[in-house]
Amino acid sequence: MIITEDPLLLDDLLRLCAAAGAEPHVLHEVPEPGGAGGPQGGVGWESSPLVLVGDDAARRVRGAPRRDGVFLVGRDLDDPAVWQRAVEIGAEEVLRIPDAESRLVDRIADVVEGAGRPALAVGVIGGSGGAGASTLACALAVRAARTGERTILIDGDPLGGGMDVLLGGENAEGMRWPDFAASRGRVGAGALEESLPELHALRVLSWDRGDRVVVPPAAMRSVVAAARRRGGVVVVDLPRRVDEAVAEVLAQLDLVLMVVPGELRAVAAAGRVAAGVRMVARDVRVVVRGRWPGGLEPEAVAELLGAPLAGEVPVEVGLPGRVAEGEPPGAQGRGALARFCDGFWQRALGSAQGVPA
């Protein structure tokens, strides 16, 4: 709902609503509390999912019942008294047009898409070459999808060969990263999900086999944000080098799992990778891959890297052969990899819902 009598501001807000795919109801006064609302479909102050109050109308809505989802919007908000007016109407934010246009479009589109709790976003990165990070990322996505979670697997490593290949779907129809390279603004969550190949009950955003290996940071940010918007689980396979685009992804992740073989040289390499990841990521944990003759204990690996231990994944006999035959990692429910992933999701999803991990 939009409340304003400023024709220029109204034009701006109608334009932003159109960009977000919303059909606004425009009112010039606040309906009586408990009333039917306005003349358009009974939508009023209390029933509308989002209320945009023009700065010109703030004083007229001062006595309206307090509610969430109210924004005070104007084109010239340098007046110090604007903050007092925002408090008086219980506004969540004060937004200035055009500076806050992208923020406002995002908020309107969230309402259109019914945004709720964002997806639990987990990144997987190799501490050293050949650590098995892509295998673990794929298995985590497969096991999450098997539980019924809405799952999107994102291939963040352009030089990794393609996660669709690991899932046996390199010929599946759907969009790949180069198709999103020009994205700058908001990407629709529903449109993104429907455009991606569906493999083994999950959606996957992978690289194609073309020459393009760079996606601008703005596009990375927009696509990952869209993937998270509808809830469920998002798993991102990360490259070991943290550049600007990867930093945009890391900033949106709830947790990063660093896969490290339990031997000294791998731990030394992982220390350098961890230093770059920690500059952006909020939570980095270690997964120790395999037991090596004369190697380090998992607890020792985590201690050397100064990160919590998320667990140990034994090397699974026969896995490369099964993958070559088209069976994705994690598909064997009784395998060591699947057991690790199932335990991880049980703890992580419980923690995301307020249950101690």
Side-chain angles (χ1 to χ4, degrees):
M1 183 171 71
I2 298 173
I3 304 176
T4 183
E5 291 183 348
D6 181 337
L8 296 178
L9 179 60
L10 179 59
D11 284 346
D12 285 335
L13 295 179
L14 291 175
R15 171 175 55 83
L16 298 179
C17 286
E23 297 182 7
H25 299 275
V26 180
L27 301 178
H28 300 298
E29 61 182 13
V30 181
E32 291 295 326
Q40 301 147 2
V43 176
W45 176 270
E46 294 176 89
S47 59
S48 177
L50 184 69
V51 179
L52 306 178
V53 179
D55 191 39
D56 65 293
R59 289 186 174 86
R60 296 199 305 278
V61 303
R62 188 160 35 191
R66 293 301 175 101
R67 50 152 294 165
D68 295 331
V70 176
F71 291 77
L72 183 62
V73 188
R75 298 205 325 281
D76 182 9
L77 299 177
D78 293 331
D79 178 7
V82 70
W83 303 105
Q84 180 180 345
R85 295 194 291 275
V87 171
E88 289 172 347
I89 68 172
E92 290 184 17
E93 291 187 47
V94 176
L95 301 175
R96 179 183 183 276
I97 302 298
D99 295 354
E101 285 192 359
S102 60
R103 161 67 178 148
L104 194 49
V105 170
D106 282 352
R107 191 63 181 86
I108 296 169
D110 282 345
V111 172
V112 174
E113 295 181 349
R117 181 191 294 273
L120 178 64
V122 178
V124 185
I125 189 168
S128 63
S134 295
T135 298
L136 178 58
C138 186
L140 283 168
V142 168
R143 299 312 297 175
R146 293 282 177 94
T147 68
E149 289 285 343
R150 169 191 174 268
T151 305
I152 295 182
L153 174 61
I154 296 177
D155 186 353
D157 186 357
L159 303 180
M163 294 298 285
D164 53 353
V165 176
L166 200 53
L167 287 161
E170 59 269 27
N171 295 319
E173 293 186 1
M175 297 177 73
R176 267 68 172 180
W177 263 121
D179 298 309
F180 295 96
S183 300
R184 292 295 184 274
R186 181 188 178 95
V187 175
L192 171 68
E193 189 167 356
E194 292 171 6
S195 72
L196 300 179
E198 183 173 6
L199 303 167
H200 303 280
L202 61 92
R203 298 283 181 168
V204 57
L205 175 54
S206 186
W207 293 86
D208 61 9
R209 261 48 68 185
D211 294 333
R212 185 175 191 124
V213 294
V214 176
V215 171
M220 280 280 192
R221 178 174 61 250
S222 297
V223 169
V224 175
R228 295 197 66 194
R229 207 171 289 131
R230 280 189 164 186
V233 164
V234 173
V235 180
V236 185
D237 181 40
L238 296 163
R240 293 172 58 210
R241 179 180 178 182
V242 180
D243 57 17
E244 188 177 353
V246 174
E248 291 286 358
V249 178
L250 288 170
Q252 298 190 60
L253 299 179
D254 298 297
L255 172 66
V256 175
L257 297 177
M258 177 173 293
V259 185
V260 185
E263 54 97 14
L264 191 57
R265 188 166 178 263
V267 173
R272 292 189 292 271
V273 176
V277 173
R278 285 195 183 104
M279 293 178 66
V280 186
R282 294 188 293 268
D283 188 351
V284 181
R285 305 183 191 183
V286 173
V287 175
V288 177
R289 185 74 185 274
R291 292 273 178 152
W292 302 82
L296 301 169
E297 292 293 324
E299 292 78 10
V301 173
E303 184 176 355
L304 287 170
L305 292 172
L309 178 64
E312 178 186 3
V313 180
V315 174
E316 190 169 314
V317 178
L319 179 61
R322 294 197 300 271
V323 171
E325 294 174 358
E327 178 184 291
Q332 289 279 337
R334 289 191 292 271
L337 188 57
R339 289 197 302 272
F340 170 87
C341 294
D342 290 345
F344 170 81
W345 287 127
Q346 185 176 14
R347 296 188 302 272
L349 292 172
S351 178
Q353 297 165 2
V355 179

